Structures are given as structure tokens and as C-alpha cells.
Amino acid sequence: VQLQASGGGLVQTGASLRLSCSASGLTFRRNGMGWFRQAPGNEREFVAAVRKDTTSTYYAESVKGRFTISRDNANNGVYLQMNSVRPEDTAVYYCAAIGSGNPIISSYYRPSTYAYWGKGTQVTVSS
């Protein structure tokens, strides 16, 4: 399984950015997907997730209303639209795939739920 995240970069406060994650080696439509981020000195934290059937999405409180997760099962892609970014959004962003099954809602927020991880893409927001 390979997850390749892209789209990171250096942007100013208030700008928009769209992260993409391309998945291969798995039956994509069977996997819930998530985005996490990790800033220097911090633990990896949940950002957003989408169920495999796209019926539900979940967000961290810190990004709710600013970020939108979506997926394209026909093209094995998951995306994170980031609007109104802030300096505190600066981090390496990782996409991740749940191995199988249909976890309960709370599980989507936990890194341990995800079986596969990409290498991450750096997002830096300048003030």
C-alpha cells in the first residue's frame, strides 16, 4: 500500500491550500481515510476523516469550518481543502487509510485506527 500526499507549501495567513493524497495497492473504496498533522515537538493530531462510503466526515474542532475533506473513489484520491489558514496550522500533514471494517465514530480520531500512512507534506503558514 502506498499513500502519496502532495500540495503542501509556504503560504500566508488567510490563504487557501489543497492537499491531495493518491492511494495505490488497496481497494480504495473499502477504506476510511484521514488526515493528520504533526508540528515540531508535538504529537501527531487528527485533522479530518471521511468514511469509505463518503456518507460522513469528521473534523478536529480547530479546523471545523475552515477545512474540508473529500474523496474520489473512482480515482483513489482523498483531498483536504484548507481555507483561512493560520500559523498554528503549520505542520507536516499525513494522509492515512483505515485497514478494513467500519469503525465506530470515535475511532476515526485516533492514529492507532489507521493501518497505512503516507510520508507527509509540509505546510507552513507565515504570519
Side-chain angles (χ1 to χ4, degrees):
V1 175
Q2 286 194 330
L3 301 175
Q4 182 64 53
S6 61
L10 173 63
V11 295
Q12 293 187 330
T13 296
S16 295
L17 205 60
R18 186 176 189 247
L19 305 184
S20 299
C21 177
S22 177
S24 61
L26 74 172
T27 306
F28 185 73
R29 66 181 184 278
R30 296 180 181 173
N31 301 86
M33 299 295 297
W35 286 96
F36 288 75
R37 66 187 181 187
Q38 188 167 18
N42 290 357
E43 293 185 354
R44 192 166 297 190
E45 65 172 358
F46 171 79
V47 176
V50 58
R51 298 180 74 97
K52 58 185 177 181
D53 56 8
T54 74
T55 56
S56 295
T57 55
Y58 312 105
Y59 296 94
E61 284 298 322
S62 59
V63 308
K64 201 173 288 186
R66 299 188 298 123
F67 292 9
T68 302
I69 188 171
S70 61
R71 65 186 294 161
D72 181 350
N73 285 349
N75 292 298
N76 288 13
V78 61
Y79 311 98
L80 187 69
Q81 178 66 41
M82 306 167 62
N83 296 332
S84 303
V85 295
R86 305 166 180 168
E88 53 264 40
D89 295 322
T90 295
V92 177
Y93 283 71
Y94 299 89
C95 66
I98 294 173
S100 62
N102 216 13
I104 59 174
I105 293 175
S106 60
S107 294
Y108 282 86
Y109 295 77
R110 294 196 293 263
S112 60
T113 300
Y114 296 78
Y116 309 109
W117 292 83
K119 288 188 177 180
T121 184
Q122 175 72 47
V123 173
T124 303
V125 183
S126 63
S127 57

